[in-house]
Amino acid sequence: MTAGKIIKALSGFYYVKAENGDVFQCRGRGVFRKNKINPLVGDMVEFEESNPGEGYVVDIQPRKNELVRPPVANIDQAIIVVSAVKPDFSTLLLDRFLVLIESKHIQPIILISKMDMLDQQKTAVIERYREDYQKIGYFVQPVSSKQEEGLASVEKMITGKISVIAGQSGVGKSSFLNAVNPCLNLETNEISESLGRGKHTTRHVELVEINNGLVADTPGFSSLDFTEIELEDLPDSFPEMRKRQGDCKFRGCMHFKEPKCAVKAAVEANEIPEYRYQHYLQFIEEIQNRKPRY
């Protein structure tokens, strides 16, 4: 058997890059389907070669983490791309991404794209949001693929890491990757003015080599749900709440109805942005009202 990493999944095939650099087109063993095991891009696997350049994945090594949407495993960091405009910047959508990433214990990086399309007033608004998220502890970088603004610092962060790049459709993920590495020539589409949202241009998940690192270009999507997050784990997905947890009067405080809550006090003192706390309450309600899993 030969060891390798799945670098692309497409139409039931898994493209495995062996340690010598060769890529093999593989199928998964039937036992995976029987045991409801789904090989993911990023998996370290062992495979048997059946024909030249072809084989079967026979074993999957334990994962350090995994995402369902996008379906990628063993990620070092998540590059979340949100656009300043078209579609408009949304703290709610950004917080959804951040909660999902935080719940998987993956390091998030926030890129705000299309900064070149803003006037001075709107730029000032985005800068205030940037400051909010930086105070929480996130790395936030405004970028413009057309003007190559902010790309150099992001290139350094990609080196030697496995990164997943994700965001709403139309925010410019493929444009960003093309700007960092023009040789990729990934397909991009303009925003549909009539729909006000992007068209799905990426058709599969694939790890692409950029600056001696691997980046997963993933299908765009416009919504996230919290089917895998338990209610009691939600506060830990907000770093500003996580660090104040020990200051609350009650152990396991959910920062909702409990008295003498350090998080609610921080919101009242403007130490935590009001919109972040409102999103947290919205996510609590969403998790409470979701349909039970069977």
Side-chain angles (χ1 to χ4, degrees):
M1 290 191 293
T2 306
K5 182 193 300 289
I6 298 178
I7 60 171
K8 180 168 69 171
L10 181 63
S11 302
F13 288 100
Y14 305 100
Y15 295 82
V16 181
K17 188 172 185 177
E19 294 175 342
N20 64 1
D22 293 339
V23 178
F24 293 80
Q25 179 179 277
C26 297
R27 290 280 194 182
R29 290 180 60 192
V31 68
F32 291 147
R33 291 191 297 273
K34 181 179 179 181
N35 295 331
K36 296 183 179 180
I37 298 173
N38 185 30
L40 297 176
V41 168
D43 272 335
M44 295 299 301
V45 301
E46 291 185 349
F47 66 96
E48 292 180 342
E49 187 175 0
S50 55
N51 294 306
E54 299 180 348
Y56 285 88
V57 175
V58 297
D59 191 31
I60 301 173
Q61 299 301 315
R63 298 163 178 161
K64 68 177 183 180
N65 55 47
E66 65 180 270
L67 292 174
V68 175
R69 294 179 60 188
V72 190
N74 300 317
I75 307 147
D76 295 315
Q77 58 189 15
I79 301 173
I80 304 171
V81 185
V82 290
S83 59
V85 66
K86 294 187 177 183
D88 290 337
F89 183 81
S90 168
T91 56
L92 177 59
L93 186 59
L94 174 56
D95 285 346
R96 283 182 174 275
F97 277 108
L98 288 171
V99 165
L100 178 59
I101 297 303
E102 290 278 2
S103 72
K104 298 294 184 179
H105 306 290
I106 299 170
Q107 179 68 38
I109 296 172
I110 302 170
L111 301 187
I112 306 177
S113 65
K114 305 184 184 180
M115 292 296 293
D116 56 297
M117 300 176 66
L118 298 181
D119 59 25
Q120 187 174 357
Q121 183 178 3
K122 291 182 179 179
T123 299
V125 172
I126 296 297
E127 282 297 327
R128 285 196 292 271
Y129 283 127
R130 178 190 183 187
E131 291 175 3
D132 285 346
Y133 284 94
Q134 285 180 327
K135 287 178 181 177
I136 294 170
Y138 292 118
F139 177 85
V140 187
Q141 178 65 60
V143 295
S144 169
S145 299
K146 292 182 179 179
Q147 297 180 355
E148 299 187 357
E149 174 191 351
L151 297 180
S153 60
V154 180
E155 289 175 6
K156 294 178 182 178
M157 301 191 74
I158 291 174
T159 302
K161 301 284 185 68
I162 296 180
S163 309
V164 58
I165 180 168
Q168 185 183 18
S169 297
V171 296
K173 298 187 303 298
S174 295
S175 296
F176 161 71
L177 288 175
N178 284 338
V180 174
N181 186 352
C183 296
L184 294 175
N185 196 29
L186 297 171
E187 180 188 359
T188 61
N189 275 335
E190 294 296 324
I191 294 292
S192 170
E193 294 291 345
S194 61
L195 295 177
R197 56 184 172 84
K199 300 176 182 178
H200 292 271
T201 56
T202 310
R203 302 302 179 185
H204 61 274
V205 180
E206 179 176 3
L207 289 176
V208 294
E209 294 186 12
I210 299 177
N211 279 37
N212 297 316
L214 293 172
V215 177
D217 184 35
T218 63
F221 47 93
S222 57
S223 64
L224 288 165
D225 51 41
F226 303 128
T227 55
E228 297 185 10
I229 300 177
E230 299 302 327
L231 186 62
E232 60 269 21
D233 296 328
L234 183 62
D236 281 342
S237 297
F238 285 76
E240 67 271 43
M241 298 184 185
R242 187 167 62 230
K243 74 178 185 178
R244 291 175 169 88
Q245 185 76 43
D247 297 329
C248 294
K249 180 179 180 180
F250 295 100
R251 186 177 181 182
C253 180
M254 287 299 295
H255 322 307
F256 182 25
K257 297 180 179 179
E258 300 90 341
K260 297 185 179 180
C261 169
V263 168
K264 289 192 291 184
V267 175
E268 292 174 2
N270 294 320
E271 295 172 3
I272 293 177
E274 174 70 25
Y275 61 85
R276 282 275 290 179
Y277 183 65
Q278 291 302 320
H279 295 165
Y280 170 74
L281 297 181
Q282 181 175 332
F283 299 160
I284 285 180
E285 183 178 2
E286 186 173 322
I287 293 173
Q288 288 177 329
N289 293 335
R290 72 186 175 194
K291 294 180 180 179
R293 291 177 291 176
Y294 297 101

